[in-house]
Amino acid sequence: MRISGRTGLPVLVATTVALAVLAGGSAPTWAAPVDDSTLTPKTQFTMSVNPYDGTVAAPASGADIPNIDSVKSTIRTYYNAAKDAGTGLWVSNKTTSPYITELGGIQQGILADLPATAPADSAVVFDVDATLLSDFDFEEATHYNYDSTVADQWVADHRYPAVAGMPALVRTLEARGYDVYGVTGRPFAQEDDTVANLTEQGYTTAGSTPIFDNANLFTKEDPAVGTVDCTTDGNPASCSTVERKAAARSHIESGGDNIVLNVGDQWSDLMGGFAVDTVKLPNPTYFLASPDIAGAPSDDALMKPPTAYTMKPDGSSGTTVASGDAIPNLDPLRKEIRAYYNAPAGLANRSSSSYITELAGLQDSWGAKVEQACENGTAAIKAAKARIAATESDLAQAKKQLAHAKTKKAKAKARKEVKRLQAKLRTLKVPGKPAAVFDADDTTLWTYDMEDKAMGFNFDPALQDTWVQDERFAAVPGMPELVADVADAGCTVFGLTGRSNSQKYATLGNLAKVGYSDFRANRYFTKWNSGAQPPAYIDCGSDNTCSTIEYKSQTRKHIEAGGYKIVGNFGDQFSDLIGGYANRVFKLPNPTYYLP
């Protein structure tokens, strides 16, 4: 489910509760409410990133993929970012954050480890982006989708702030006598602007002399480095990050310096040797993978991301992570999601993927359960009506016996029987008609291609509305058949989506277009448009602002108040399912967004 103005978990869960029809004169006993405390996202993840190409193998279950919205929230918490009131963009706190605290510890460690007086010809090398100049705000401005045009403009405008504490660290090392160098993947054409940006951000000596200039800052394809051997990583077709950076460090050492420390935010900044020691700064916002070069130090094999991650869905783990690198990195995460959907170019394979395989297996297990619940519900109604009819017949007969009773004793006996049957009749109820409720986005209609290829996992309500009105969405694999089977088993089918009222008929048209035949306008619930009053059966408080859970649970309550009993509730978000008014809940996998 996706709604405009979202606040965007993986897993496929089928929570089932048995439906029993008691024999005898009592009404059917419907299942107890689902325990909402069980409807929670995973918090422990394993993600093995190949450091040479950044790939992650597709897991068998979407539950095993960290949700990308939750990861972004965690990153923002780690950087103590807040939304700018003017631009609406997230901006990092430049003075206090878990990130800055971690950096402070690393910087103090560097100063403690390096001699207070530099040995002769000792050098320290620094990467630039996310090492000397912070690019968090740029990443947010481009919504974590690298845009070279925007990057060029930021470089030209010298818009990158200093990484907290790094000007002081560099200044101290320079004062201790270390030769300081910069080695960056920025192109040679950006060298002058990069030097200027560094100087403007305080990379100067105590006497205000710029520490970096064109002589000690080496850029990509820098003429000073000379020709780079692009065959050393086994791929002569192109030059890798490690090849270029190792060549720059080799060039530095060929001039007589000994690089005692190499500092960067990417493993590829550090691999390839030509440094006594390395220090990695945390950066969960992007990952620059690169093959290593032949003859690299053996401990380069240790330069790779962790494999175990702990992350709460609301982003709060950003305050408690031991390191920013303990947050799943967004670039490998995208690759893992794409591997799961078999979507190497951002478009999901519609016939074969781990996602489709998982769905098929779960749909097989759901089908019999829901269909049986639908059939049981229909049977329970039939049995209840039969009991009522039989009791009414018995009552009519008892009344006749009372009317024809001759003796006082016979009249008393008949009167007692009439009262008993009247009391019994008052207890007999026809149960609600069995119903199944289905969310729209990523439950019945598949939004993956929009989320990835069209939006780059950055929700755009205007673009989403275009897709909705154009009826562009494919069916979620296997769901048209499941919905039809549920209807054939006797359940009334309802739709319940966070899409707005203005999108209702386009949604119904899209559903019909891709093979659904059981959704009807009078049984399809959409959310009121912004600024409008909610329906009378919804209470969102004085501001009329409902959470997803409030809106959906109260709508399900309204459905049941209309004479139905929801035996199955289907959604891709836990917020589709929490709040009761359903005997069973079924969660489809969705690591592409999270809606609390």
Side-chain angles (χ1 to χ4, degrees), residues 1 7 11 22 52 97 101 138 168 175 195 210 225 255 258 280 288 309 341 344 359 392 408 410 447 519 542 552 578:
M1 177 197 72
T7 323
V11 312
L22 298 183
Y52 308 122
S97 67
T101 299
F138 164 79
V195 168
V225 175
N258 176 39
K280 186 183 181 301
L288 301 178
Y309 299 88
Y341 286 94
L359 271 183
E392 288 175 337
K408 183 177 181 180
T447 75
F519 290 107
S542 59
K552 291 209 162 187
I578 292 171

Side-chain angles (χ1 to χ4, degrees), residues 530-555:
S530 178
Q533 287 291 318
Y537 56 83
I538 297 286
D539 181 5
C540 301
S542 59
D543 61 357
N544 285 335
T545 301
C546 258
S547 68
T548 299
I549 293 172
E550 288 172 327
Y551 157 59
K552 291 209 162 187
S553 63
Q554 291 182 58
T555 302

Side-chain angles (χ1 to χ4, degrees), residues 270-476:
L270 311 178
M271 295 158 58
F274 302 103
V276 175
D277 202 357
T278 60
V279 168
K280 186 183 181 301
L281 303 186
N283 184 0
T285 67
Y286 57 88
F287 186 84
L288 301 178
S290 175
D292 208 348
I293 60 175
S298 60
D299 58 3
D300 276 13
L302 303 176
M303 294 184 180
K304 56 187 177 182
T307 57
Y309 299 88
T310 299
M311 184 189 71
K312 294 180 180 178
D314 62 0
S316 60
S317 300
T319 62
T320 58
V321 288
S323 169
D325 286 338
I327 301 171
N329 190 286
L330 280 171
D331 280 347
L333 175 59
R334 280 194 193 89
K335 290 187 176 182
E336 183 178 27
I337 292 172
R338 286 182 168 184
Y340 174 65
Y341 286 94
N342 193 9
L347 297 173
N349 188 303
R350 297 187 183 183
S351 60
S352 176
S353 67
S354 296
Y355 171 70
I356 291 173
T357 299
E358 182 179 14
L359 271 183
L362 269 293
Q363 288 162 350
D364 284 347
S365 71
W366 296 344
K369 296 170 185 174
V370 182
E371 289 168 40
Q372 187 63 59
C374 296
E375 293 168 359
N376 286 350
T378 301
I381 292 171
K382 183 177 180 181
K385 287 180 177 179
R387 285 194 295 271
I388 290 171
T391 303
E392 288 175 337
S393 176
D394 291 345
L395 178 59
Q397 184 63 33
K399 287 180 177 179
K400 285 182 181 180
Q401 290 177 348
L402 176 60
H404 293 91
K406 302 298 184 183
T407 67
K408 183 177 181 180
K409 182 176 180 180
K411 288 181 179 180
K413 181 178 179 181
R415 191 174 292 111
K416 182 177 180 180
E417 180 64 5
V418 167
K419 289 182 178 179
R420 185 187 73 81
L421 290 170
Q422 287 174 329
K424 178 181 178 181
L425 193 59
R426 287 193 294 270
T427 67
L428 296 178
K429 307 292 181 184
V430 177
K433 292 169 282 188
V437 173
F438 295 87
D439 171 51
D441 293 309
D442 298 295
T443 299
T444 50
L445 295 175
W446 199 5
T447 75
Y448 183 85
D449 292 353
M450 179 191 74
E451 291 289 339
D452 186 355
K453 184 70 172 180
M455 294 183 180
F457 299 114
N458 173 56
F459 185 66
D460 180 337
L463 183 55
Q464 184 256 10
D465 188 60
T466 298
W467 276 63
V468 171
Q469 302 302 341
D470 290 350
E471 302 177 10
R472 296 186 190 181
F473 299 102
V476 170

